[in-house]
Amino acid sequence: MDKQKMQEARAWIRAELDTCTKFWIENGIDRKHGGVYTCLDRYGKIYSTDKSVWMQGRCAWTFSFLCARYGKRAEWMEAAESCLEFLEKYCLNKGAQDRLYFTVTEDGKPLRQRRYFASEAFYSMANAEYYGLTGKKEHLERARRAYDMYFDLWQGNIKDPTGLGPKGIPETRTGHSFGKPMILLNMTSILLRVDPENAALYHERAAFCTDVIFKYHFHPELKCTLENVGPNGEARLGFTDGRVINPGHDIEGVWFLLEQAARTGDRSIVEKSEQIYRFAMDAGWDKEYGGLLYFTDALGLPTEAYEHDMKLWWPHNEILIASMMLYRDTGKEEYLDDFYMTLDYCKKHFAD
């Protein structure tokens, strides 16, 4: 490894991090109602005041994590606390056992409730991280409650209190989606770090999520990881939804799996994660123009999503993280090459 090159990459990334956090602190935080706006143009002007509930949790987690990693700063603490307070005051659906909304107005009036439960995931992560930073017990209790709700909704242990029911017709077609075990694995990693009292439960669920991913979604015979599979993990290749590959999602899952491998010392998880990563990069990296495609098809057929050939910023972040972790865990230079290839693409096309 060229240490000088790595130090230069780290310096560039940290400068971008400083620029990004400053931008959001100055322009995104709602000083009147609390929480964070998310529809900002490149100059920081707000062009829609509706608020994503996901982003209240994600921003609260981010700024809490920054404080834990780099030291507490008043502006970071204030941002995290503003988002957490906004979540608690406005984003819980009290009539549906504290299921969280998906979007609300700037002053917290509910706009949309979704069937799926990602809002609960980011709420749990945010409260857990903030508890780890401050030791405030009420945030751990909130994190645990939402974490258990996510698991119970996924497993069908409880009926969805919103009453919305499934989006499709389960009598016709049902199965597994990759996002659910992947995000629960991410949530579990955070809670394992801050809540050792419940470590046995978290280890059990982390192992369960890992098993679900490899048993159902990982299809080495197709050289891919499928977003949607049948009840027994069967690949359903006769329709577009059954052939969807989201390369960024797969690579995101890789670094959650590598965290599990580090906790357990299970080298087989590293080996399978390498395959998931390589399949995703082979399928998704645009050989002509560079960058990672948003969606591909397992059989190389036309994709249903109109945005399939867009290059979004977040999957490239996933590559930067996962490739560095794989280099750390295997010592293989190919992952370092991927890191620099992706970093160069980000410098040219994403850094503003």
Side-chain angles (χ1 to χ4, degrees):
M1 180 179 72
D2 184 334
K3 290 187 177 180
Q4 183 176 347
K5 187 177 181 181
M6 181 58 67
Q7 288 169 349
E8 290 171 356
R10 183 174 65 177
W12 183 84
I13 289 169
R14 288 194 172 178
E16 289 294 305
L17 177 62
D18 287 342
T19 299
C20 182
T21 53
K22 182 180 179 182
F23 176 88
W24 285 97
I25 291 290
E26 291 180 353
N27 302 297
I29 302 299
D30 183 349
R31 308 293 174 184
K32 181 178 180 181
H33 304 102
V36 63
Y37 295 110
T38 53
C39 294
L40 277 61
D41 69 13
R42 68 193 302 183
Y43 304 106
K45 182 179 179 181
I46 297 164
Y47 60 85
S48 176
T49 58
D50 291 345
K51 288 174 178 170
S52 160
V53 175
W54 286 22
M55 292 307 297
Q56 307 311 309
R58 285 175 160 180
C59 286
W61 178 87
T62 296
F63 286 111
S64 296
F65 183 78
L66 287 172
C67 286
R69 180 57 59 92
Y70 297 112
K72 291 182 181 179
R73 296 186 191 178
E75 65 270 25
W76 290 351
M77 289 293 292
E78 289 167 8
E81 289 163 357
S82 178
C83 291
L84 286 166
E85 288 168 8
F86 188 85
L87 278 167
E88 209 60 31
K89 192 172 182 179
Y90 299 115
C91 299
L92 297 168
N93 184 344
K94 299 297 183 181
Q97 299 175 32
D98 287 347
R99 283 286 323 264
L100 277 88
Y101 297 113
F102 181 69
T103 50
V104 297
T105 63
E106 67 176 337
D107 58 350
K109 295 182 178 65
L111 286 170
R112 192 174 184 185
Q113 181 91 55
R114 296 299 292 264
R115 292 170 172 83
Y116 56 74
F117 25 93
S119 292
E120 285 77 5
F122 304 127
Y123 170 89
S124 178
M125 293 179 197
N127 277 284
E129 196 66 55
Y130 186 76
Y131 165 74
L133 184 67
T134 64
K136 294 182 178 179
K137 201 75 173 181
E138 64 268 28
H139 292 279
L140 177 59
E141 292 167 357
R142 294 168 188 172
R144 286 174 173 175
R145 184 179 67 247
Y147 175 81
D148 286 336
M149 177 181 282
Y150 182 105
F151 182 81
D152 288 335
L153 285 167
W154 173 32
Q155 292 300 299
N157 297 334
I158 59 173
K159 187 176 181 180
D160 186 348
T162 66
L164 289 173
K167 188 174 183 179
I169 309 298
E171 291 80 9
T172 303
R173 183 178 294 157
T174 188
H176 303 277
S177 62
F178 178 65
K180 291 185 178 71
M182 182 191 75
I183 292 300
L184 187 68
L185 188 56
N186 184 208
M187 297 165 68
T188 303
S189 292
I190 296 167
L191 281 158
L192 265 168
R193 180 159 44 79
V194 304
D195 185 21
E197 183 181 333
N198 273 352
L201 172 67
Y202 301 139
H203 283 302
E204 178 184 325
R205 288 187 179 169
F208 177 72
C209 291
T210 302
D211 184 60
V212 167
I213 290 169
F214 290 142
K215 183 177 179 181
Y216 295 132
H217 297 279
F218 178 47
H219 281 265
E221 78 283 1
L222 296 171
K223 296 187 176 180
C224 69
T225 304
L226 292 171
E227 284 288 307
N228 305 297
V229 294
N232 300 308
E234 61 270 28
R236 300 187 291 197
L237 303 178
F239 49 91
T240 54
D241 190 54
R243 299 193 303 268
V244 171
I245 299 172
N246 183 332
H249 233 195
D250 297 347
I251 295 167
E252 180 181 8
V254 164
W255 64 270
F256 303 155
L257 289 166
L258 290 173
E259 288 180 325
Q260 176 68 354
R263 285 191 294 267
T264 62
D266 187 343
R267 291 298 300 178
S268 71
I269 297 176
V270 177
E271 293 165 4
K272 291 176 184 176
S273 297
E274 282 191 86
Q275 288 183 280
I276 291 176
Y277 173 89
R278 185 47 56 199
F279 291 156
M281 287 293 287
D282 289 346
W285 191 265
D286 188 332
K287 308 300 189 295
E288 183 175 2
Y289 298 108
L292 197 72
L293 299 168
Y294 198 6
F295 294 107
T296 64
D297 184 278
L299 299 182
L301 297 169
T303 57
E304 189 173 34
Y306 297 138
E307 68 274 22
H308 68 94
D309 59 353
M310 289 177 63
K311 315 289 174 60
L312 280 71
W313 63 269
W314 69 263
H316 298 79
N317 284 4
E318 309 299 353
I319 298 173
L320 293 174
I321 296 167
S323 63
M324 191 60 66
M325 292 177 75
L326 283 166
Y327 176 70
R328 177 199 66 191
D329 293 347
T330 70
K332 295 178 182 178
E333 293 285 333
E334 64 190 80
Y335 300 121
L336 202 55
D337 293 341
D338 284 353
F339 173 83
Y340 287 120
M341 175 181 70
T342 305
L343 190 68
D344 288 342
Y345 187 86
C346 291
K347 288 180 178 180
K348 291 176 183 175
H349 300 288
F350 288 121
D352 189 348

